[in-house]
Amino acid sequence: AINCSAIPDSLLESELFGYARGSFTGAVRDKPGLIEEANGGTFFLDEVGDLSLPLQAKLLRVLQEKEILRVGSNKPKAIDVRIISATNVDLEKAIVEKKFRQDLYYRLNVVPIDIPALRKHKSDIPALVKHLINKFNQEYGRNVSDISTAALEKIMSYEWVGNVRELENFVGRAMINIKMHEHLITIKHLPSLLGATQDQNMDDKILIR
């Protein structure tokens, strides 16, 4: 797996596709890229909508030809990789704006799965909060057993623009506010909830090829 928005383009190409020895200063040996490492398995491209157009072209070649070409090499290598990609970018709009290749979009968009924003499936919040409490109990060495009804109702009333990551950050901060002898998250432990506006562009989309 790789987050395409977290790595500069200059590094992302060699991370994805690998490089040949001598292709640039410091390339003292051949190095397979992450897609090649996933040969025979599954590769997850997170934030694929942030890929630059040149990298989109190279990825398209991988999908079309089922082969990888390392940076600085002229010897393609056959691969068999299932690609799962995710983005919160409106790719159809990006295509119109010439920011995303239409042919790559159709190659990726074989089995689309739309994941609605958290505010659109609030019924999942109680289960998510309990899961996060258990997670942070282990990470922080706490022994929190539950959350009060009033605290949960306040969480349920919030419009979660940042989706599950925002909820995770929020619950994590609440857990830090609990004293070691306390075992229940209440209103007093909750960090302030900033007013949020609806942002339909925050919906995630997963594309499976």
Side-chain angles (χ1 to χ4, degrees), residues 8-72:
D9 266 5
S10 57
L11 298 177
L12 185 57
E13 182 176 9
S14 59
E15 284 294 309
L16 287 174
F17 307 108
Y19 55 80
R21 183 177 60 181
S23 57
F24 54 84
T25 302
V28 296
R29 59 181 177 82
D30 292 342
K31 181 181 181 298
L34 293 177
I35 297 178
E36 187 176 337
E37 292 279 8
N39 192 23
T42 301
F43 188 70
F44 177 47
L45 281 164
D46 198 7
E47 302 299 350
V48 71
D50 293 333
L51 277 179
S52 67
L53 287 171
L55 289 183
Q56 289 177 34
K58 291 203 70 170
L59 178 60
L60 179 63
R61 175 182 173 83
V62 172
L63 299 179
Q64 284 182 332
E65 307 299 331
K66 295 185 179 180
E67 61 184 27
I68 200 86
L69 188 64
R70 295 178 182 177
V71 175

Side-chain angles (χ1 to χ4, degrees), residues 5-176:
S5 65
I7 303 176
D9 266 5
S10 57
L11 298 177
L12 185 57
E13 182 176 9
S14 59
E15 284 294 309
L16 287 174
F17 307 108
Y19 55 80
R21 183 177 60 181
S23 57
F24 54 84
T25 302
V28 296
R29 59 181 177 82
D30 292 342
K31 181 181 181 298
L34 293 177
I35 297 178
E36 187 176 337
E37 292 279 8
N39 192 23
T42 301
F43 188 70
F44 177 47
L45 281 164
D46 198 7
E47 302 299 350
V48 71
D50 293 333
L51 277 179
S52 67
L53 287 171
L55 289 183
Q56 289 177 34
K58 291 203 70 170
L59 178 60
L60 179 63
R61 175 182 173 83
V62 172
L63 299 179
Q64 284 182 332
E65 307 299 331
K66 295 185 179 180
E67 61 184 27
I68 200 86
L69 188 64
R70 295 178 182 177
V71 175
S73 174
N74 58 4
K75 297 179 180 179
K77 180 178 179 180
I79 58 168
D80 178 18
V81 176
R82 175 174 55 188
I83 298 290
I84 298 178
S85 55
T87 183
N88 64 4
V89 173
D90 184 340
L91 293 183
E92 294 181 356
K93 180 180 178 182
I95 289 170
V96 173
E97 296 173 349
K98 306 299 184 183
K99 295 178 180 178
F100 201 85
R101 294 180 62 109
Q102 187 176 41
D103 46 6
L104 177 58
Y105 174 72
Y106 289 126
R107 282 287 180 178
L108 291 172
N109 194 26
V110 176
V111 183
I113 303 173
D114 290 316
I115 302 178
L118 181 58
R119 63 180 176 272
K120 296 178 182 177
H121 57 105
K122 288 187 176 183
S123 60
D124 290 338
I125 288 178
L128 286 168
V129 169
K130 289 186 178 181
H131 165 73
L132 291 169
I133 288 173
N134 291 332
K135 173 185 176 181
F136 289 121
N137 273 334
Q138 296 179 11
E139 290 187 10
Y140 298 164
R142 300 300 178 94
N143 190 28
V144 177
S145 58
D146 210 344
I147 184 170
S148 71
T149 300
L152 184 59
E153 287 177 350
K154 184 172 183 180
I155 291 175
M156 294 283 288
S157 68
Y158 181 63
E159 298 299 307
W160 294 94
V161 175
N163 295 326
V164 177
R165 288 191 184 107
E166 184 183 9
L167 177 64
E168 182 175 15
N169 176 270
F170 182 82
V171 174
R173 285 187 289 150
M175 294 280 286
I176 291 172

